[in-house]
Amino acid sequence: MGASGRMAVAMVEALTTNVHPAILPAELADALFAKARIATIEAGQTLFLAGDPCTGCYRLVEGLLKVTLDLGQGRERILAVLGPGALVGELSVIDGTPRSASVAAIRASKLQFISRAVFEDFGRAHPEIFRTIAGVLARRLRDINGALVATSFLSVKGRAARSLLILADAFGKDVGRGRILIRQKMNQGDLAALAGIARENLSRVLRDWMDAALVSRFAGYYCVEDKAALEREAR
């Protein structure tokens, strides 16, 4: 690894990993998961699949997860990337229907799990949780609508730029001179699935942007070098 790669790793390791804001107020989330059991999965492992019966919901403590839909022929579309503090599987635990999407680990992850019965008992004692989760689901629906619009109307470069900007907003850190380091490793396959484009097309776009010094990559971490240029591409 060269000096630039070692510098990027040092910057990442020096930063907190708790970059995804909890979607429930801390006191409410801590009370809900007070008697949770711990579950762990390694990178690449599946937490649950679309269509699986709902047994409960999770809170992500450490790691990084992806929420995906299977498009067939070995292709997937990433609907969301979840960091520490996120609830996982809360929709099914509310209405009792099977899982609407699959969830797998991008990085080794530690989660807290509670059963649907525990969630329902807590909801009866703390009905405000449903109002909070309704707001979360509304935000996620807007995000999905935005992704559908991007897929329909944006160019391949526009979709790639939008995905990098989403990651930079969720997991980015300004490391000086306007450079934003994305503090989570994402391989090209996952980034392409998030953008809704073929991996080969993403590879060409990234190569062009790296040649133009709009984006860089060190030791598996992407860095947005020119945010304004990517924002122009994403319009």
Side-chain angles (χ1 to χ4, degrees):
M1 184 186 302
S4 59
R6 289 193 296 272
M7 179 183 69
V9 171
M11 286 191 293
V12 171
E13 291 177 345
L15 299 170
T16 175
T17 58
N18 188 19
V19 294
H20 194 290
I23 65 171
L24 292 178
E27 290 184 3
L28 192 62
D30 290 343
L32 175 60
F33 288 90
K35 297 182 179 180
R37 68 172 176 85
I38 298 298
T40 59
I41 56 173
E42 297 300 317
Q45 287 188 324
T46 298
L47 184 63
F48 53 74
L49 294 170
D52 282 352
C54 172
T55 56
C57 70
Y58 301 82
R59 178 169 66 162
L60 182 58
V61 179
E62 299 172 1
L64 195 67
L65 302 174
K66 59 180 179 180
V67 182
T68 67
L69 287 179
D70 184 1
L71 302 180
Q73 298 181 331
R75 298 178 301 129
E76 68 177 13
R77 177 67 192 272
I78 295 181
L79 302 178
V81 175
L82 305 177
L87 281 186
V88 186
E90 73 283 357
L91 179 59
S92 291
V93 86
I94 290 174
D95 64 11
T97 58
R99 304 297 189 185
S100 58
S102 300
V103 175
I106 295 175
R107 296 178 63 177
S109 299
K110 176 181 177 182
L111 306 102
Q112 295 173 305
F113 173 82
I114 57 169
S115 68
R116 189 177 179 215
V118 169
F119 182 91
E120 290 176 339
D121 287 343
F122 187 87
R124 282 190 285 269
H126 304 272
E128 66 272 20
I129 193 172
F130 296 106
R131 185 169 56 251
T132 303
I133 291 179
V136 171
L137 294 177
R139 289 194 297 275
R140 287 188 182 172
L141 180 58
R142 284 195 293 270
D143 290 342
I144 291 172
N145 286 342
L148 292 174
V149 169
T151 301
S152 300
F153 297 107
L154 287 179
S155 65
V156 168
K157 282 190 173 183
R159 281 178 264 170
R162 180 181 181 275
S163 296
L164 279 173
L165 290 170
I166 288 172
L167 292 173
D169 181 59
F171 305 111
K173 173 71 175 181
D174 192 323
V175 292
R177 293 179 296 177
R179 303 169 68 235
I180 302 173
L181 181 68
I182 298 173
R183 298 175 289 178
Q184 299 285 357
K185 283 188 177 182
M186 293 283 290
N187 62 43
Q188 283 195 6
D190 283 337
L191 189 54
L194 182 62
I197 60 179
R199 182 173 178 173
E200 296 77 11
N201 291 338
L202 175 72
S203 181
R204 285 193 290 271
V205 170
L206 290 176
R207 190 163 51 246
D208 289 344
W209 286 346
M210 288 178 184
D211 289 343
L214 303 186
V215 174
S216 59
R217 194 180 189 201
F218 303 111
Y221 295 94
Y222 287 100
C223 185
V224 175
E225 302 284 348
D226 190 338
K227 182 180 179 182
L230 291 189
E231 288 174 337
R232 288 193 293 273
E233 292 280 9
R235 290 173 187 158

